[in-house]
């Protein structure tokens, strides 16, 4: 199987994994950014096993995201090198940084699941760190979206409307990250900025994966 196809399926697999995890956690009552500590304590005390189960799928998601990024670079690099550009590398760097940052998010959740049933004194600090990392992760999602959208458009690898989706999602994610101190202060409509950008990001990466599957590049 061509590497472009592998990376395309990896993009789709990544999207399925992260959406699936959220479809499990959200109905269970995962608190939103800025939630009250009593709500956070109650959730992690009651659903620690669920948090651990869902967290077990995330390492695979990070590997899939890396495979997608590497495949996108491989498909675009020849064209970029001729123009003396490296937008695809910018996008790949964003993917790697979001993997690292989200590792911190999941580590905070696992720590909360471990401590909340026995001692809630660490909840405030761990949840604040969780919210901050989750919101600031928009910076790196925006970097990935921007870099790979520009690279794809410049190489005529993706359609203009697909690139436009990437730019819109990047703008929303970056705005959310820039407003992180307000987003995590308390539950508010500001959280919808990042959520909307995240949903568009999922659609964008699935479409990019489909394009990689269909490409004739090696």
């Amino acid at each position: 199987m061509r590497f472009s196809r592998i990376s395309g399926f990896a993009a789709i697999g990544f999207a399925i994994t992260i959406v699936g995890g959220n479809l499990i956690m959200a109905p269970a009552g995962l608190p939103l950014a800025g939630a009250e500590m009593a709500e956070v304590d109650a959730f992690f005390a009651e659903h620690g096993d669920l948090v651990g189960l869902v967290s077990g799928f995330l390492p695979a998601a990070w590997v899939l995201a890396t495979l997608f990024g590497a495949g996108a670079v491989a498909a675009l690099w020849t064209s970029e090198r001729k123009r003396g550009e490296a937008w695809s590398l910018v996008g790949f760097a964003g993917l790697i940084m979001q993997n690292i940052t989200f590792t911190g998010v999941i580590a905070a959740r696992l720590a909360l699941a471990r401590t909340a049933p026995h001692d809630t004194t660490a909840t405030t600090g761990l949840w604040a760190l969780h919210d901050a990392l989750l919101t600031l992760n928009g910076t790196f999602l925006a970097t990935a979206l921007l870099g790979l959208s520009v690279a794809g458009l410049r190489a005529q690898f993706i359609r203009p409307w697909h690139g436009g989706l990437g730019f819109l999602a990047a703008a929303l994610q970056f705005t959310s990250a820039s407003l992180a101190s307000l987003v995590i202060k308390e539950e508010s409509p500001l959280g919808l900025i990042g959520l909307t950008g995240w949903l568009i990001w999922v659609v964008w990466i699935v479409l990019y994966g489909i394009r990689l599957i269909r490409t004739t590049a090696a």
Side-chain angles (χ1 to χ4, degrees), residues 52-103:
L53 175 65
V54 174
S55 299
F57 293 99
L58 271 299
W62 300 326
V63 172
L64 292 171
T66 303
L67 283 171
F68 159 64
V73 171
L76 299 168
W77 183 241
T78 299
S79 173
E80 284 207 301
R81 186 170 55 184
K82 292 178 180 178
R83 298 191 303 272
E85 298 175 352
W87 285 106
S88 63
L89 293 181
V90 173
F92 189 47
L95 288 171
I96 297 301
M97 288 303 299
Q98 79 90 28
N99 281 355
I100 295 170
T101 306
F102 215 78
T103 299

Side-chain angles (χ1 to χ4, degrees), residues 154-167:
R154 295 278 287 162
Q156 297 184 336
F157 186 75
I158 61 174
R159 297 181 182 275
W161 61 265
H162 186 187
L165 278 180
F167 295 144

Side-chain angles (χ1 to χ4, degrees), residues 21-217:
N22 279 281
L23 288 177
I24 294 172
M25 296 292 283
L30 178 67
L32 300 176
E36 296 293 333
M37 290 305 101
E39 180 184 354
V40 176
D41 283 329
F43 174 83
F44 284 97
E46 183 178 351
H47 298 289
D49 290 341
L50 182 63
V51 172
L53 175 65
V54 174
S55 299
F57 293 99
L58 271 299
W62 300 326
V63 172
L64 292 171
T66 303
L67 283 171
F68 159 64
V73 171
L76 299 168
W77 183 241
T78 299
S79 173
E80 284 207 301
R81 186 170 55 184
K82 292 178 180 178
R83 298 191 303 272
E85 298 175 352
W87 285 106
S88 63
L89 293 181
V90 173
F92 189 47
L95 288 171
I96 297 301
M97 288 303 299
Q98 79 90 28
N99 281 355
I100 295 170
T101 306
F102 215 78
T103 299
V105 172
I106 299 305
R109 289 182 185 178
L110 289 172
L112 283 162
R114 176 70 180 275
T115 59
H118 311 291
D119 184 0
T120 60
T121 56
T123 299
T124 300
L126 285 172
W127 188 247
L129 177 63
H130 169 277
D131 284 355
L133 287 171
L134 184 63
T135 307
L136 291 172
N137 186 49
T139 307
F140 308 117
L141 292 181
T143 303
L145 287 156
L146 176 65
L148 292 177
S149 292
V150 172
L153 289 171
R154 295 278 287 162
Q156 297 184 336
F157 186 75
I158 61 174
R159 297 181 182 275
W161 61 265
H162 186 187
L165 278 180
F167 295 144
L168 175 59
L172 291 169
Q173 287 290 321
F174 192 81
T175 298
S176 179
S178 299
L179 298 173
S181 63
L182 298 176
V183 173
I184 70 175
K185 187 176 181 180
E186 59 184 3
E187 288 191 36
S188 73
L190 288 175
L192 294 175
I193 298 173
L195 175 60
T196 303
W198 184 84
L199 292 172
I200 298 173
W201 144 258
V202 172
V203 174
W204 176 92
I205 198 170
V206 168
L207 292 171
Y208 221 116
I210 293 171
R211 179 64 183 87
L212 284 167
I213 293 169
R214 290 177 174 176
T215 188
T216 57

